[in-house]
Amino acid sequence: MAMRTCNRPFSSAGMKASAAAPCRAARAAAPAAARRAAAVRVSAAASSSSNGSPRVLLTREEGKNDKLRAALTAKGYTCLELPLIEHADGPDRALLPALLRAAAEEYEWVTITSPEAASVFLEGWAAAGKPKLRVAAVGGGTGEALKAGGVTPEYVPSKALGKVMGSELPRVPGGSRRVLYPASVKASTDLQDSLTEAGFEVHRINTYNTTSVKSVPEALLRDALTADVVTYGSPSAVKAWVGLAGLQHANSKVNACIGSTSAKACANAGISQHVFFPDAPGIEGWVEAVERGCREAKLPLPAAAV
């Protein structure tokens, strides 16, 4: 799997910017808990755990870190967990059940682009009476989340990216050429732009929102600051970590992102060093980003990862 490294900010095209390109300053203000922990940060450079394996911080919301933890633990890494994001209802969530009841006739496809979007969709689908729908999932993780709720996606693109999904989504003979896209408030327009370019009419509804955690218990933060690697599954997690740990501390660690969107968020926040991410989002590539980061940082790798 191809791997990317970013030791400078991204340009608008997503590639490394020139050496002259300035880092964008992080705007998140550190909350009181982080300020009280300022003295802790000085000694937080403690690197590997007592068994010699790098300590990896998992930052997805509570209950969503299990797969990454299992994959890393199997390779001998020590995992810490500090949920840095949480979800809230989006402005269009109440519209979802009615739209899904009509979806079989109104839309060729319903497109789902994340496990959280799948969770929200499944709730709306159940409220709609579980109608038969043609559903597309952006990747394997999203597809698994749908299957666990009783919906088997009929299409998954060759790469887990919205723009790829939009360009590859099959057309249904005699279909309406309309797509229902239940999305996050913060989701980019990559999928809808790609679908529009491919000739579809897109009905996007913002069904949920992702927000950064503003404060955490001080004891948990103190432990988290000792991690060698910080993992990010969304831009909101990047923002939260910079706000809690500080930019200097964030730049001193290996920063392993699930994909390019989170890597760009690192650059935008001012994290310009030690950023690693796979070409296609997913747990396997995320683990590889952790491993490559540890190797380049010359951390003592666990035996299973060598």
Side-chain angles (χ1 to χ4, degrees):
M1 178 176 293
M3 186 67 55
R4 303 284 185 89
T5 306
C6 174
N7 283 324
R8 296 191 182 280
F10 280 82
S11 68
S12 59
M15 302 301 290
K16 293 180 186 177
S18 68
C23 291
R24 300 180 196 175
R27 295 180 175 85
R35 290 196 294 272
R36 289 195 300 271
V40 178
R41 294 182 200 155
V42 176
S43 60
S47 50
S48 56
S49 63
S50 58
N51 67 3
S53 69
R55 292 162 62 85
V56 183
L57 184 64
L58 313 181
T59 65
R60 273 183 159 174
E61 66 271 35
E62 188 173 356
K64 298 293 179 67
N65 289 302
D66 294 350
K67 289 184 179 179
L68 181 58
R69 182 194 297 108
L72 289 168
T73 301
K75 288 179 173 288
Y77 290 92
T78 299
C79 294
L80 314 174
E81 184 171 356
L82 183 69
L84 292 180
I85 66 170
E86 53 194 8
H87 296 297
D89 288 353
D92 302 327
R93 187 161 184 160
L95 303 177
L96 186 58
L99 289 171
L100 293 178
R101 277 193 290 269
E105 296 181 1
E106 293 290 328
Y107 304 101
E108 284 190 18
W109 293 96
V110 179
T111 54
I112 307 298
T113 56
S114 72
E116 181 61 24
S119 176
V120 173
F121 162 79
L122 288 168
E123 183 180 310
W125 178 66
K130 299 186 177 181
K132 182 174 177 55
L133 303 171
R134 187 179 294 106
V135 178
V138 75
T142 301
E144 289 177 14
L146 288 168
K147 289 178 184 177
V151 174
T152 299
E154 294 188 27
Y155 171 74
V156 178
S158 62
K159 186 177 287 189
L161 295 171
K163 61 183 179 182
V164 176
M165 186 180 190
S167 64
E168 293 182 352
L169 192 67
R171 292 183 175 180
V172 177
S176 66
R177 301 289 174 87
R178 301 187 72 211
V179 173
L180 179 63
Y181 174 28
S184 163
V185 171
K186 292 186 173 68
S188 74
T189 62
D190 286 354
L191 173 58
Q192 62 204 76
D193 291 345
S194 184
L195 285 168
T196 299
E197 187 175 337
F200 288 100
E201 178 187 343
V202 183
H203 183 186
R204 170 174 173 164
I205 56 171
N206 293 320
T207 56
Y208 72 98
N209 195 12
T210 303
T211 59
S212 301
V213 169
K214 299 297 190 298
S215 65
V216 297
E218 190 167 349
L220 291 180
L221 177 61
R222 184 182 298 114
D223 197 28
L225 290 168
T226 68
D228 303 285
V229 183
V230 182
T231 61
Y232 307 106
S234 70
S236 294
V238 175
K239 179 179 178 181
W241 181 243
V242 171
L244 290 167
L247 186 55
Q248 182 177 359
H249 189 87
N251 269 304
S252 73
K253 303 299 182 181
V254 172
N255 297 280
C257 301
I258 191 172
S260 61
T261 299
S262 295
K264 290 175 185 177
C266 283
N268 291 339
I271 303 176
S272 59
Q273 301 296 318
H274 320 302
V275 179
F276 300 85
F277 64 98
D279 277 342
I283 297 297
E284 181 182 354
W286 207 354
V287 171
E288 289 178 5
V290 170
E291 292 185 315
R292 180 173 177 183
C294 288
R295 288 192 179 94
E296 295 204 9
K298 295 181 170 54
L299 294 172
L301 294 178
V306 174

